[in-house]
Amino acid sequence: MPEHREPERLAPRSLADYLEVMSKAVFQTGISWRVVETKWPGIRDAFRGFDPEEVASFGPSEIDILAGDTRVIRNRRKLEAIVGNARRMLELDQGHTSFRHYLRSHGSFEATLKDLRGEFKFLGDTGGYFFLYVVGEEVPSYEEWCGRRGR
């Protein structure tokens, strides 16, 4: 049976913290968390500390460079998704006075999760739960959440 470990929670200090956690959830989709953890320092470096303005400015040439960079998980669709997610995060941050206000504007965990899935690429139910949990938002216990989904 695989080892289960609870991810560390953090109190985001900047939009970069939110983008980093969301990007980790994107990379973990369909890939062992151990692989992602092992590569994470190189991924963080390649994405310039997840500064959302810098990541949002990446164009096709930067994506080409990332797709050839052995420090990162070279899934082009995920790389493009992270750039698009940075752009959308900046828009939501500006439209709601802060990204935290955006997250708390939905009234419930389920509504927030549903909206996240619609707004951000490669962020499904599990990735959305992981993201909300790690950034310190209110979520049901993992066991309760899985039970609601028949897992």
Side-chain angles (χ1 to χ4, degrees):
M1 179 163 224
E3 172 190 338
H4 173 73
R5 88 181 163 80
E6 190 171 297
E8 284 186 46
R9 296 188 97 170
L10 65 91
R13 292 169 294 165
S14 69
L15 205 53
D17 290 338
Y18 286 109
L19 183 59
E20 181 169 359
V21 174
M22 183 179 287
S23 298
K24 187 174 272 190
V26 166
F27 278 121
Q28 287 175 334
T29 301
I31 297 177
S32 161
W33 64 266
R34 285 188 179 115
V35 171
V36 176
E37 286 295 325
T38 299
K39 287 190 165 275
W40 202 250
I43 292 169
R44 183 184 295 121
D45 187 51
F47 276 94
R48 301 176 191 159
F50 290 98
D51 178 291
E53 301 229 352
E54 281 199 49
V55 175
S57 74
F58 287 5
S61 61
E62 286 88 358
I63 298 289
D64 288 342
I65 291 167
L66 288 171
D69 189 334
T70 58
R71 297 174 301 165
V72 304
I73 295 165
R74 295 171 290 168
N75 179 314
R76 186 174 195 89
R77 290 179 54 220
K78 288 184 180 186
L79 299 171
E80 290 169 344
I82 290 168
V83 172
N85 288 348
R87 292 175 184 149
R88 187 63 186 135
M89 190 175 281
L90 286 167
E91 292 167 0
L92 291 167
D93 179 64
Q94 292 165 0
H96 288 83
T97 67
S98 77
F99 194 70
R100 184 177 192 193
H101 285 141
Y102 156 72
L103 291 174
R104 295 183 176 181
S105 70
H106 301 93
S108 73
F109 164 76
E110 291 296 338
T112 304
L113 184 60
K114 181 179 180 183
D115 198 66
L116 282 171
R117 290 182 56 222
E119 294 289 350
F120 297 99
K121 295 179 179 164
F122 275 96
L123 196 66
D125 280 345
T126 303
Y129 181 95
F130 169 86
F131 170 74
L132 291 169
Y133 176 85
V134 172
V135 298
E137 293 300 311
E138 194 170 311
V139 299
S141 74
Y142 186 72
E143 293 75 20
E144 176 189 338
W145 181 71
C146 287
R148 284 190 222 159
R149 287 168 168 65
R151 295 181 188 172

